[in-house]
Amino acid sequence: MAAPTAYAARTEYARTDYALIATDLDGTLLRGDDTVSDRSLAALARVSAAGARHLVVTGRPAPRVRPLLDALGGGGLAVCGQGAQLYDAGADRLLWSVRLDRELAETALGKIEAEIGQVYAAVDQDGVDGLTLIEPGYLMPHPTLPAVRVGHRDDLWCAPISKVLLRHPTLSDDELAAVARTVVGSLATVTMSGPGTVELQPCGITKATGLALAARHLGLSPEQTIAFGDMPNDIPMFDWAAHGVAMANAHPELKAVADEVTLSNEDDGVAVVLERLLARAQYAPKTLSMEP
């Protein structure tokens, strides 16, 4: 029906079931080549148009997230560094960050190596321009991510850090993480965020702590949040959010606590769920008076 001539009409859509869409990146929203599919981009654009907010919640530090946020068209917030950083992409600054004490990190590494022998380490430096430093023998699990190789482990501690990344020459990620959790205690929080990626981060810091801080900043709550992930480091985020969606390629530990399992990251699993939510949302036309 045409609007009365004295008025201009505007059509609005009902919100989706969730006002906050929290997505991990690697293994979740990103495909294996570090790109976001056109289908996923379209689904995120549609939920944004419906009134929801999309929030990236990733283990990557802020400098490694900035180009991806540009591709997503995002100038808003992102939770980075496993929850240790709240990054304002529009202003290119950290609103909040927690550093891992370097002496505690060295002590934790010593305890782990006393138990299982030599491990290879890397660090993410704090700050929007922080580098990823890797010691001799450490292999980057994501070859597309930039890193600077240093000559000796002592060089890793040259500047404040947000986390330590670990690899073992023979143990699996699950085995390395299990040992680290046993011996590290309260020195750091141990997480497993992807193939070849076991990490030490500040004690008590998880994706859930960062997500909760970002949600408060946006005026949103756990009950309004749906979260997507693929690895055990996403478990705290699933515990916090109202609904947790694991990818088909997710680690068994995450699938065990997920509310549902979608398709893999290569098959646009995030988009599949968002499209379903959009289809379920009721169309709610509302004509607003724009009378001069």
Side-chain angles (χ1 to χ4, degrees), residues 88-119:
D88 181 342
D92 190 27
R93 67 188 181 99
L94 293 175
L95 300 182
W96 180 79
S97 66
V98 179
R99 295 172 176 176
L100 176 59
D101 182 275
R102 285 169 280 179
E103 290 187 7
L104 292 182
E106 283 191 280
T107 301
L109 277 175
K111 286 180 173 291
I112 293 169
E113 291 188 320
E115 192 73 19
I116 57 173
Q118 184 178 13
V119 298

Side-chain angles (χ1 to χ4, degrees), residues 33-140:
D33 61 358
D34 275 6
T35 63
V36 183
S37 73
D38 290 341
R39 182 179 180 183
S40 293
L41 287 172
L44 289 169
R46 288 179 62 200
V47 295
S48 295
R53 298 292 296 267
H54 173 224
L55 184 68
V56 166
V57 185
T58 177
R60 294 191 186 204
R64 306 290 88 81
V65 174
R66 188 164 42 211
L68 295 169
L69 295 178
D70 290 341
L72 289 167
L77 300 180
V79 177
C80 305
Q82 303 294 8
Q85 299 173 328
L86 182 58
Y87 175 56
D88 181 342
D92 190 27
R93 67 188 181 99
L94 293 175
L95 300 182
W96 180 79
S97 66
V98 179
R99 295 172 176 176
L100 176 59
D101 182 275
R102 285 169 280 179
E103 290 187 7
L104 292 182
E106 283 191 280
T107 301
L109 277 175
K111 286 180 173 291
I112 293 169
E113 291 188 320
E115 192 73 19
I116 57 173
Q118 184 178 13
V119 298
Y120 299 109
V123 300
D124 284 336
Q125 293 179 332
D126 190 37
V128 295
D129 295 315
L131 301 173
T132 297
L133 305 182
I134 58 178
E135 72 173 346
Y138 186 90
L139 298 177
M140 286 292 291

Side-chain angles (χ1 to χ4, degrees), residues 12-16 50-51 281-284:
E12 294 186 346
Y13 289 84
R15 291 180 179 271
T16 62
Q282 296 295 315
Y283 178 78

Side-chain angles (χ1 to χ4, degrees), residues 142-238:
H142 296 286
T144 61
L145 295 180
V148 176
R149 190 170 296 279
V150 297
H152 191 271
R153 179 173 291 178
D154 290 343
D155 299 326
L156 297 177
W157 321 120
C158 64
I161 62 173
S162 59
K163 65 180 178 180
V164 177
L165 302 89
L166 304 175
R167 302 194 75 167
H168 192 273
T170 59
L171 294 182
S172 69
D173 297 334
D174 291 284
E175 292 168 331
L176 175 56
V179 170
R181 290 188 184 104
T182 300
V183 301
V184 165
S186 62
L187 294 174
T189 295
V190 179
T191 62
M192 182 167 50
S193 61
T197 313
V198 174
E199 301 178 355
L200 306 178
Q201 60 200 66
C203 187
I205 296 297
T206 67
K207 282 191 174 184
T209 59
L211 176 55
L213 182 66
R216 286 197 299 272
H217 191 85
L218 296 171
L220 299 172
S221 67
E223 294 77 19
Q224 296 171 288
T225 304
I226 182 172
F228 295 82
D230 73 307
M231 291 299 292
N233 65 322
D234 295 313
I235 291 175
M237 181 167 68
F238 279 24

